[in-house]
Amino acid sequence: PEKIKNNNDAYIPLLEEVLLDAKESGVLVKIELKGPGTVQPVIELVDKLDMVDQCYFSSFDPERIALVRQIRPELKVDGTFKYKTGVLFES
């Protein structure tokens, strides 16, 4: 994909680039699922990079979190969800 720059030539990294840096450094990442159609490709990217343990999924839209649970319902041995999620606000 083409690199995105703003008017000041500041570089905006792709999510994959951010995740690769995070993977290398070991930091945890909270991924905000903002728009329609974001859940599936983001989950696939996290899976592809083998970063499930480093990523948390959040959204202001509870339906997006429900979709994460529907797509990846796996539980860890302790009974918690393997794909960690959180809704930022509840109505």
Side-chain angles (χ1 to χ4, degrees):
E2 185 178 328
K3 294 189 177 199
I4 301 169
K5 295 186 177 189
N6 70 8
N7 292 338
N8 298 319
D9 262 355
Y11 174 65
I12 302 169
L14 300 171
L15 177 59
E16 184 169 4
E17 294 171 310
V18 172
L19 291 177
L20 287 169
D21 285 345
K23 183 174 184 172
E24 186 176 314
S25 66
V27 299
L28 298 176
V29 179
K30 182 185 95 169
I31 301 172
E32 168 70 23
L33 302 167
K34 290 195 176 269
T38 55
V39 174
Q40 185 74 41
V42 169
I43 286 175
E44 289 173 2
L45 178 61
V46 169
D47 286 344
K48 177 181 116 177
L49 299 176
D50 192 28
M51 291 188 65
V52 174
D53 292 334
Q54 277 182 260
C55 295
Y56 292 78
F57 302 93
S58 65
S59 182
F60 286 99
D61 183 349
E63 291 180 18
R64 288 195 186 100
I65 297 303
L67 187 54
V68 172
R69 292 275 183 253
Q70 179 184 345
I71 294 170
R72 295 291 190 273
E74 295 89 351
L75 298 175
K76 296 192 293 187
V77 176
D78 66 2
T80 60
F81 285 100
K82 181 176 179 183
Y83 290 75
K84 299 172 279 299
T85 60
V87 176
L88 299 175
F89 290 99
E90 293 188 60
S91 48

